[in-house]
Amino acid sequence: MGWRNYLRQFLRDLRSQKLRAALTLFGLVWGTASVTLLLAFGEGLQERLLKNIRGLGENIVICWPSQTSKTWEGLPRNRKITIKDEDIDALRREVPGLTGISGEYSNDSRKFKVGHKVLVPGVTGANPIFAAMRNLIPRTGGRYIDDLDMDERRRVVFLGDGLKKDLFGDQEAVGKYVNVNGVPFLVVGVMQKKEQDSSYQGRDTDRASIPATTFRAIYGQQNYGNFVFQVADADKVEIAKDKVIATLAKIHRFDPSDSEAVRMWDVTENEKFMHSFMLGFRIFLGVMGVLTLVVAGIGVSNIMNVVVEERTKEIGVKMALGARQRMIVSQFLFETMLLTVLGGAIGFLISWGICAVFPAKLDEFVGTPVISLQVGAMTACVLGVIGFLAGYFPARSAARLNPVEALRL
Amino acid sequence: MFWNGKNGKNGGKSEGNGHHLIDLQGIRKVYDTGAVKVEALRGLDLAVRENEFLAIVGPSGSGKSTLMNIIGCLDTATEGSYRLRGEQVAGLTIDRLAEIRNKRVGFVFQNFNLLPQLTAFENVELPLLFKGTPARQRRERVELLFEQVGLSDRMLHRPVELSGGEMQRVAIARALACEPDIILADEPTGNLDTTSGRDIIGMFEDLWRKGHTLVLITHDPAIARRARRIVNVQDGTVVSDEAVA
Ligand SMILES: Nc1ncnc2c1ncn2[C@@H]1O[C@H](COP(=O)(O)OP(=O)(O)OP(=O)(O)O)[C@@H](O)[C@H]1O
Ligand SMILES: [Mg+2]
């Protein structure tokens, strides 16, 4: 018998067992929808968290020069370590695999004035490379600090989006001036809104950047408060950290094993933690989802068992008319698989629909659920296996019926 | 003329060289229900030729249905030899037995055994589906069969919408679908009133005249006498076997 006959038979059975079919289908729809939604939400959440972490910058290490805590080559403890441009240049030469390095001045006592509004935001004095390392991306129509600004020590400022809003409201800021302690600074760019869940001196949205050279010239500060470097590959970050310390230890003559001399915050550690956390979380969701599907599958199998029992007579008649075992098996298998595919498809559509209408507003908190190919393929596989197993055992018991016994009923 | 008589096709061959269509020798059937063993057939011998019309009679529990199930390959004997047109049936695979039931045996049951969720047409179509007949030939064949049993206007009815006599005629059409060697009917009139019962027996007589081989179980002596040969079974053996005058 061809599949078309099975299909016809299946539709007839559906007709005669509406409630049962509906319940079975519901179980499968529910199972599929929960698996895909759980995994979709897990994926969305992970993306969200990753984005938040990366808001600070990807594969970066932030370093603060401090004091030595060990004696070294006859030098005493508690010596202050200072970082200047020469140190940054040396590091750029010595440390392999760096994609960027920049010293950073900072300051949070300057009065920013626009009209009558006065604010005292954090100010960063930085190099142009800082933008790439720390994800300070300008909105269209603006830019970050560039090399010319640096060379000419221009009085230009790049504003965080929150700060811009506080100073200028909804008006255009680029091209206008901000008075910083009475000195006018030209606004050259405003940061694009970004998610950032960690920071070391306030979130970038509320900060301003000016050229490091300008900062030095106006405020007379020579030593960087900290510096930031970035590596191309998160796996290379440990090597780079060691090399940074070794280089600075040689220049400033401190013990390379002295963890106090230069303190470091390795952002990739957050990400590593996040990854293992999310992996666990997703395994958890996946297992829950698969269990849900398995329960649905057991339900289907149960129902098919009852169906076989109820249809013993029918099976007997078919056997008497010459149906082979294989036909009986395939009929029940086909019915179960079809139910599974149908339930799976509906469940999938529901999930997809929910993801499609998921409010964008919630993205900030839980991310946007996405049904990835991976999730889809996995659900389909699990459904397939479940459908097959759920159908196989009832079908086998159907085919094993003794035709005489079956007919006697 | 439209009954697809068997005589012309192969009757000569099997009778000519002394073969029986059905040849049962020393058939024993023991039902092992765990606690007790019931010996339903005790060394039964029976031979049926092509184009015989045979009635099997006997008291209840004598083993008539058991015998018929074995003849129809629905069940296998515990012991003994069963040749169907010369082919030894004992030891055949399950699939081969299914094929024999499909192509060479037509069953007519007391309780009709039509599938209630199918239309009359679909019921008759089933054996052809199992045989693998292509759709168009299937439809033509089924329509012809309905014509033969005089139910062309009932093809799309469901069994519940048919009378007992009509249901049994649908069942006969189904039994004939694959042009079987033999038609087995286990008390086909048992659930029918006298008139419909008479119709059905009349139909069997027609089939016999067209060359079909029929084995009919009945309790009714009047119906048995319509057959050409009466076999009396008691306690699992044949106690008498006579031609009807
Ligand atoms: N599946 C079975 N398990 C155990 N015993 C059985 C089984 N089928 C039949 N029998 C027994 O075998 C014997 C013959 O049964 P069978 O059905 O062949 O009788 P029958 O001649 O057809 O009777 P009836 O005229 O009432 O239909 C009976 O004693 C019956 O109880
Ligand atoms: Mg009986």
Side-chain angles (χ1 to χ4, degrees), chain B residues 115-131:
Chain B
L115 299 186
Q117 74 270 32
L118 307 190
T119 61
F121 183 97
E122 289 165 335
N123 266 289
V124 175
E125 195 185 20
L126 271 181
L128 296 164
L129 274 174
F130 298 147
K131 191 180 171 191

Side-chain angles (χ1 to χ4, degrees), chain A residues 1 5 8 12-13 15 313-314 317-325 327 402-404 407-408, chain B residues 69 74-75 94-95 98-99 101-102 107 109 111 113 115 117-118 122 125 129-130 138 158 174:
Chain A
M1 288 201 295
N5 292 315
R8 242 181 4 160
R12 273 197 304 256
D13 293 341
R15 221 191 306 146
K313 179 89 181 209
E314 172 192 333
V317 170
K318 284 183 174 168
M319 284 176 158
L321 298 179
R324 294 170 194 209
Q325 269 188 328
M327 294 172 184
N402 172 343
V404 181
L407 275 174
R408 198 190 301 279
Chain B
N69 289 339
L74 272 175
D75 208 347
I94 290 172
D95 273 355
E99 198 183 333
R101 290 197 295 271
N102 181 232
F107 286 100
F109 302 93
N111 55 357
N113 275 339
L115 299 186
Q117 74 270 32
L118 307 190
E122 289 165 335
E125 195 185 20
L129 274 174
F130 298 147
R138 232 161 44 213
R158 287 182 192 281
R174 183 179 65 181

Side-chain angles (χ1 to χ4, degrees), chain A residues 405 408, chain B residues 31-33 38-40 58-67 186-187 217 219:
Chain A
E405 301 284 320
R408 198 190 301 279
Chain B
Y31 289 110
D32 192 349
T33 53
V38 180
E39 197 170 357
S60 187
S62 55
K64 304 184 296 293
S65 296
T66 306
L67 173 60
D186 193 342
E187 298 185 41
I217 294 179
H219 275 124

